[in-house]
Amino acid sequence: MNLKNDLILRAARGESIERYPVWLMRQAGRILPEYRAVRSQLSGFKELVETPERAAEVTIQPVDLLDVDAAIIFSDILVVPEAMGLEYQMIEQKGPWFEQTIRSEEHLKFADANIDIDDRLGYVLEAIRITNKELNGRVPLIGFAGAPWTIFCYMVEGRGSKTFSESRKLLYTNSALAHELLGRITDVTIRYLKAQVKAGAHMLQLFDSWAGILGTEQYAEFGLKYISKIVDAIDEVPLTVFSKGAITSVEAIAKTNCNTVGLDWNMDVVAIRNLIGESRTLQGNLDPCALYASEKEVERQTVKMLDSFTSKRHIVNLGHGVYPDIDPEKVKTFIKTVKNYELRY
Ligand code: CP3
């Protein structure tokens, strides 16, 4: 199907663009009353994720209501560990919780890499197909997965954590087990992402939300090694690597075969552009908290970020997911400011 707006794909490939494309991480859900209305008709988050028609509906909401340049499929990174054998619950106000965790070799039976993707994750693929049919080419659809290190963190810890110390402990006490588990997650993730592309995803993003808790050397060994494998296996569509907090690894990330490097708000766009040159697109990176400011200030902060760009190779986004209590009007101001900004490159 022909895309009416392929700006984000061109920006990812470093091709010419008329203006910077813009979307928001976590745009599907949370901030929109229209999302909460759909969610309240169902038993909870998981039912929404697992019901393709409704998942497609909330995927399209930000395209209709916020006028973003891309949709991101409504799902979660935790569908992968679940497909491998670790069931999770999403507990209201608390977040994910796994009854079983992976802490020793005998637990590896709950981390099965030999799974049939269509069988276990077919509901996501169906949501992608329905979304594209309903979008009718208005904007590209982004597919995604968690990066192996972040998925490993949830499989070992069993829940969110400030330090993920059980996960980091395993790197020192049983690195062979850690590599085995990371390898299995990587295998499944490659097949899952390829299936998303086949179902219709125009672009992919890897979320490494917990990259920043590892030192540079450990991130190279337990994080980037597996990200590289994934990036090398995907040549169908542009791919973004978002390694939150991995400031000292940005150069190494840019050296993988990804198209786009996602930046969090602590990362300095100018310094990173100088470091990596023009060969990769940068995505980001307004502080999500900037959207709590007045409309005038949101505008000012957004223009300040745009003025720091010295290249056309940018996809505008926040430096992390949009916070649940942000006023959608502020999001609209952010998006409008990006769309009205005159490109200098
Ligand atoms: O970006 C989008 O809008 C698409 C959907 C999406 C969700 N989760 C839906 C969701 C995406 C891309 C994710 C990614 C995700 N999930 C990450 C990586 C990005 C990041 O924020 O760092 C992580 C770490 C998770 C795991 C997860 N899912 C947690 C820790 C939680 C609870 C806390 C929270 O963020 O709300 C979730 C739940 C979740 N995933 C919600 C949504 C809309 C909220 C559930 C609800 O509706 O109550």
Side-chain angles (χ1 to χ4, degrees), residues 26-28 30 35 39 45 75-77 90 144 209 320:
R26 311 299 289 270
Q27 68 187 18
R30 308 215 284 188
Y35 164 79
R39 195 181 173 297
F45 173 73
S75 183
D76 202 89
I77 63 168
M90 193 59 78
F144 71 91
S209 307
H320 198 197

Side-chain angles (χ1 to χ4, degrees), residues 41-295:
Q41 295 164 9
L42 302 166
S43 64
F45 173 73
K46 281 189 80 174
E47 190 184 351
L48 181 49
V49 165
E50 289 162 12
T51 309
E53 292 76 16
R54 306 317 298 268
E57 187 181 346
V58 298
T59 298
I60 297 169
Q61 282 176 346
V63 180
D64 289 335
L65 299 163
L66 304 172
D67 207 18
V68 283
D69 290 311
I72 179 161
I73 191 66
F74 186 82
S75 183
D76 202 89
I77 63 168
L78 302 176
V79 300
V80 165
E82 182 161 79
M84 295 174 76
L86 277 190
E87 208 183 311
Y88 74 94
Q89 292 173 42
M90 193 59 78
I91 299 172
E92 207 70 35
Q93 314 293 341
K94 277 201 155 161
W97 187 77
F98 294 81
E99 188 169 349
Q100 178 68 49
T101 54
I102 313 282
R103 306 252 172 115
S104 69
E105 277 78 4
E106 75 209 52
H107 298 144
L108 281 173
K109 61 175 179 283
F110 300 107
D112 187 0
N114 298 315
I115 53 163
D116 181 336
I117 299 290
D118 288 317
D119 173 48
R120 299 284 173 95
L121 293 162
Y123 58 89
V124 182
L125 308 177
E126 182 60 10
I128 289 174
R129 285 188 285 266
I130 297 171
T131 301
N132 270 335
K133 209 180 283 166
E134 292 179 0
L135 274 176
N136 199 23
R138 283 165 65 196
V139 290
L141 178 59
I142 304 171
F144 71 91
W149 164 248
T150 288
I151 297 302
F152 174 95
C153 283
Y154 285 104
M155 292 178 93
V156 171
E157 216 81 24
R159 60 176 115 174
S161 160
K162 282 206 173 81
T163 57
F164 283 93
S165 50
E166 286 295 334
S167 315
R168 289 189 293 122
K169 179 166 112 187
L170 205 59
L171 307 185
Y172 294 98
T173 58
N174 195 346
S175 64
L177 175 64
H179 279 300
E180 173 65 28
L181 182 54
L182 287 162
R184 290 185 186 202
I185 297 165
T186 301
D187 288 350
V188 172
T189 302
I190 289 170
R191 290 195 291 123
Y192 177 45
L193 290 175
K194 283 186 176 286
Q196 290 188 41
V197 173
K198 213 169 143 213
H202 301 96
M203 200 173 167
L204 297 169
Q205 176 157 327
L206 282 175
F207 285 91
D208 212 352
S209 307
W210 302 111
I213 63 174
L214 294 183
T216 314
E217 241 176 74
Q218 272 192 330
Y219 191 57
E221 182 181 350
F222 297 100
L224 275 179
K225 178 178 165 196
Y226 296 97
I227 285 180
S228 294
K229 276 195 185 167
I230 296 171
V231 172
D232 287 342
I234 305 286
D235 46 20
E236 298 92 333
V237 297
L239 189 146
T240 302
V241 176
F242 175 59
S243 297
K244 188 175 174 296
I247 297 187
T248 60
S249 299
V250 173
E251 197 176 6
I253 295 166
K255 282 191 178 140
T256 70
N257 285 320
C258 67
N259 298 74
T260 302
V261 180
L263 305 183
D264 71 40
W265 71 93
N266 283 307
M267 296 175 175
D268 187 284
V269 174
V270 177
I272 288 171
R273 179 60 77 194
N274 286 336
L275 189 69
I276 70 163
E278 290 282 325
S279 65
R280 298 287 179 264
T281 300
L282 298 176
Q283 176 174 276
N285 73 339
L286 189 74
D287 183 348
C289 280
L291 299 186
Y292 288 114
S294 67
E295 288 208 7

